[in-house]
Amino acid sequence: LFGLGVGRPELARALGIAQRTFGTKADARALEHASVFLTHPALGADARAWPVDLGDPDAVTACVAAIRSGQGAIGAIQWTAYSSGAGDLLAAPVAELRAQLDVGVLGLVAAVQAALPDLEAAKGSVLVAGGGLSTDDPKVAAMAVQWGASGLAVAKAAQHKACALLAESLRPRGVHVAELVVMGGVKG
């Protein structure tokens, strides 16, 4: 799981799914809190927090190497990471938009590239939590502007295309890529 940290309401639910499905691999930005939760005996799995800046592709690559070294092969990736900022494309610093793309696209691609040998060997999968803001529709664009989420909309649109390209590239290698697109908020 990439993109879960303290304060994210879906953390417990996602870790439960990961435990049952993938044997639980997780990252979290706040190791001191997340590791206490992740190593709770009730999980019944060997889970650890791997703090990493998911907007830094080199750091993501190093994190995947550390996970592979510390916990073994990675048979699946779940990418839920996103960044905030660049709500108004006319006023936001370009660096805020870049941060959105760094987390939503570049970090994702770096994780897939770094885990590729394991994903291929396991005939694994990549699940990306996208967003309805990726939809190319005037009503969705108006909603993104009204919500102050223009940067997120740009990043999710780029991520949507990256998912399609990864799916086509990985299909012949036996790796499945899926994108979960939700139009609206997700409550914990």
Side-chain angles (χ1 to χ4, degrees), residues 71-106:
Q71 288 193 266
I74 297 173
I77 292 174
Q78 180 179 334
W79 192 268
T80 62
Y82 67 93
S83 181
S84 60
D88 179 353
L89 294 182
L90 300 178
V94 174
E96 285 185 16
L97 181 59
R98 173 62 188 252
Q100 292 269 358
L101 294 167
D102 286 347
V103 172
V105 179
L106 301 179

Side-chain angles (χ1 to χ4, degrees), residues 156-177:
K156 288 301 181 181
Q159 185 181 70
H160 177 70
K161 179 55 89 173
C163 287
L165 297 170
L166 286 170
E168 286 300 315
S169 299
L170 293 171
R171 183 177 296 115
R173 298 171 180 231
V175 178
H176 179 74
V177 177

Side-chain angles (χ1 to χ4, degrees), residues 50-140:
W50 299 89
V52 62
D53 177 355
L54 295 175
D56 178 346
D58 292 334
V60 171
T61 299
C63 180
V64 169
I67 292 169
R68 292 176 76 204
S69 174
Q71 288 193 266
I74 297 173
I77 292 174
Q78 180 179 334
W79 192 268
T80 62
Y82 67 93
S83 181
S84 60
D88 179 353
L89 294 182
L90 300 178
V94 174
E96 285 185 16
L97 181 59
R98 173 62 188 252
Q100 292 269 358
L101 294 167
D102 286 347
V103 172
V105 179
L106 301 179
L108 167 63
V109 172
V112 171
Q113 288 176 348
L116 187 56
D118 294 343
L119 292 169
E120 287 179 309
K123 302 294 183 200
S125 60
V126 177
L127 174 62
V128 178
L133 292 177
S134 66
T135 306
D136 186 16
D137 177 280
K139 290 180 183 176
V140 174

